[in-house]
Amino acid sequence: MSQGMRTITRLFISVAAVFVSALGFYAFGGVYSEHAQTAIVHRFGDVMDWKSRWIAGRDAINCGTVPVRGDSATATDCALQAFAVHRSFRVRYGLQTVDTLMAAGVVAAPNGRVYELIFSGGPPTGATDILRQRVAVNLCPVPTTLRRTPRGRVTCFDAGRHTTANWTSSWLSEAP
C-alpha cells in the first residue's frame, strides 16, 4: 500500500471514530445527555476514581464508596485498619449538596503519604458531568493522623481546619 493510501486510510478511520462517538452521544438523547454521561462514568469511572486509583496504586485496599446517607462504618473501619498496618487504601463518601454532585475521600499512597480528595461532578441528580467534573487533592499534614468524624467518615484534618484549595475545605468531610 502506498504512503498516500495509508494516510487516507488513517484519516478515514479517525473521522469514522469521531462520527461513531458523536452518534453514541446522540443515541442517548443528545450531545449533552445525562444518560450518555451516566453510561460513560459507569463504565470508565470519574476523575475521582481515576485520581484515587493512581495515588493508591494497584495493590491498594478499596474500602468502598459510601452513598449519601449511607452507613459509613464498614468503609471507615476498613480505612482505619489499612492505615494502622501501613497499607495503601482508598475510601469515598457521597455528600449531600443542593446544587452539585459531590464526594469526599481519603487515599493513602504506597509511599505512606495520605491525601484528602474533594470531588465536584455535576448536577445533584446523581449524574456526573463528564466535561465539568473536577477533583481537588489536598496533602494531609505530616505526620498523618486519621480520625473518625462525628458523621462516621475518616479524615486527616482537625475539625474546622481549612485546606489550601480555594473551592474546598475539610468542612466538606462533615457535610450531610
Side-chain angles (χ1 to χ4, degrees):
M1 186 183 296
S2 70
Q3 182 66 25
M5 192 60 142
R6 284 188 204 140
T7 303
I8 290 172
T9 302
R10 283 189 212 142
L11 181 62
F12 176 76
I13 290 171
S14 298
V15 169
V18 169
F19 176 76
V20 169
S21 297
L23 185 63
F25 278 117
Y26 281 110
F28 284 104
V31 71
Y32 213 57
S33 164
E34 281 191 13
H35 296 292
Q37 294 180 70
T38 299
I40 291 168
V41 169
H42 181 72
R43 175 73 174 114
F44 299 107
D46 57 35
V47 294
M48 187 165 174
D49 292 329
W50 303 337
K51 188 61 119 176
S52 66
R53 288 174 195 225
W54 183 78
I55 292 170
R58 289 178 11 140
D59 297 327
I61 298 170
N62 180 3
C63 292
T65 299
V66 180
V68 174
R69 293 186 293 283
D71 183 11
S72 61
T74 303
T76 298
D77 289 343
C78 170
L80 292 172
Q81 290 171 5
F83 182 73
V85 295
H86 308 287
R87 291 279 314 269
S88 57
F89 69 88
R90 57 193 174 97
V91 62
R92 177 177 177 153
Y93 305 96
L95 302 177
Q96 178 70 47
T97 60
V98 176
D99 59 350
T100 188
L101 176 68
M102 292 197 76
V106 175
V107 178
N111 66 4
R113 292 238 150 146
V114 182
Y115 302 86
E116 178 187 63
L117 280 64
I118 305 293
F119 172 77
S120 175
T125 60
T128 299
D129 186 328
I130 60 173
L131 301 176
R132 294 188 183 135
Q133 60 182 322
R134 59 187 175 167
V135 64
V137 179
N138 301 304
L139 179 63
C140 292
V142 177
T144 303
T145 303
L146 296 184
R147 70 177 180 86
R148 186 183 304 263
T149 69
R151 294 201 182 270
R153 301 177 185 135
V154 67
T155 186
C156 60
F157 292 107
D158 294 332
R161 183 182 185 297
H162 292 267
T163 60
T164 57
N166 65 357
W167 64 277
T168 68
S169 74
S170 59
W171 64 266
L172 285 173
S173 297
E174 289 307 307

